[in-house]
Amino acid sequence: MKKVKNIILLCTVIFALASCETYKDPVIEYSPVFPLSGEWIVRYINPATSDTTAFGTLTVTNTASNSATEIWVRKTGTTAGGAFTVKATCNVPSLTFSVTNGTNTVLSKGVSVGTCTITQGLVTLNGWSTNSGYKSDKITFKLEDSRKPGIVYNAEGYRRTGWYDDEP
């Protein structure tokens, strides 16, 4: 019996030592347009009437070519002219983006619904104080949608944190 106990003890020690292998932290690979890319909670303000829309979702992603100078900007919902998806140019080191009369790739009956112009697009790292008490990245830009000509919305918002208190 003593021999069996010694074998079990030896196997336990071997398994314990073998399981202490350490691994390096995984390397996180970001797209070439990070930190511009991400999911943003944004509100749109009509300066002519001071009307402010409720917060909505804006998604900024890299293009299929994985270019460091182009992004897709996608807004869902019906506020501030409605949904749009437009390709914009960006400058990652200066955290800026813009597009003039970019084709809105959202389709209605197979036809583009117009164009969008985004100017003064800027991301400010840790520029927004969230409801949960932490800092998040801030995004600001001016938006003109051809479906609402002459209205230039001021857009401002923050990177989605995932915290319940920060949700709109």
Side-chain angles (χ1 to χ4, degrees), residues 34 36 64 75-76 125 143 147:
F34 183 81
L36 295 174
K75 176 187 161 295
T76 57
L125 302 178
L143 167 68
R147 293 171 288 182

Side-chain angles (χ1 to χ4, degrees), residues 30-40 60-61 71 90-97 122-126 137-139 159:
Y30 293 103
S31 77
V33 293
F34 183 81
L36 295 174
S37 59
E39 190 171 42
W40 301 87
V60 179
T61 61
I71 55 175
C90 66
N91 183 320
V92 177
S94 67
L95 301 174
T96 60
F97 60 99
L122 176 67
V123 170
T124 305
L125 302 178
N126 295 317
D137 298 340
K138 178 181 180 180
I139 189 169
R159 185 182 305 276

Side-chain angles (χ1 to χ4, degrees), residues 80-91:
F84 67 82
T85 302
V86 64
K87 189 184 286 189
T89 58
C90 66
N91 183 320

Side-chain angles (χ1 to χ4, degrees), residues 38-59:
E39 190 171 42
W40 301 87
I41 307 296
V42 177
R43 66 179 168 211
Y44 301 87
I45 303 161
N46 182 344
T49 61
S50 297
D51 288 340
T52 301
T53 64
F55 282 98
T57 304
L58 181 83
T59 306

Side-chain angles (χ1 to χ4, degrees):
M1 185 68 172
K2 187 175 183 180
K3 193 174 188 181
V4 171
K5 286 183 181 180
N6 286 339
I7 291 173
I8 291 174
L9 179 64
L10 179 63
C11 288
T12 303
V13 169
I14 290 172
F15 285 129
L17 292 175
S19 67
C20 291
E21 188 174 337
T22 58
Y23 296 98
K24 294 180 182 177
D25 288 334
V27 176
I28 299 173
E29 294 182 30
Y30 293 103
S31 77
V33 293
F34 183 81
L36 295 174
S37 59
E39 190 171 42
W40 301 87
I41 307 296
V42 177
R43 66 179 168 211
Y44 301 87
I45 303 161
N46 182 344
T49 61
S50 297
D51 288 340
T52 301
T53 64
F55 282 98
T57 304
L58 181 83
T59 306
V60 179
T61 61
N62 59 313
T63 60
S65 64
N66 218 20
S67 169
T69 59
E70 292 180 320
I71 55 175
W72 283 107
V73 181
R74 179 176 183 258
K75 176 187 161 295
T76 57
T78 58
T79 60
F84 67 82
T85 302
V86 64
K87 189 184 286 189
T89 58
C90 66
N91 183 320
V92 177
S94 67
L95 301 174
T96 60
F97 60 99
S98 64
V99 60
T100 302
N101 293 324
T103 301
N104 183 351
T105 60
V106 172
L107 302 177
S108 175
K109 298 179 184 173
V111 178
S112 171
V113 294
T115 63
C116 293
T117 297
I118 295 174
T119 57
Q120 299 177 23
L122 176 67
V123 170
T124 305
L125 302 178
N126 295 317
W128 189 281
S129 295
T130 63
N131 290 337
S132 61
Y134 296 97
K135 290 286 192 179
S136 184
D137 298 340
K138 178 181 180 180
I139 189 169
T140 57
F141 59 93
K142 294 187 180 293
L143 167 68
E144 185 173 7
D145 192 316
S146 65
R147 293 171 288 182
K148 302 252 183 167
I151 300 175
V152 179
Y153 292 94
N154 294 322
E156 61 180 14
Y158 58 95
R159 185 182 305 276
R160 179 171 248 155
T161 63
W163 293 97
Y164 179 77
D165 291 344
D166 297 337
E167 292 298 307

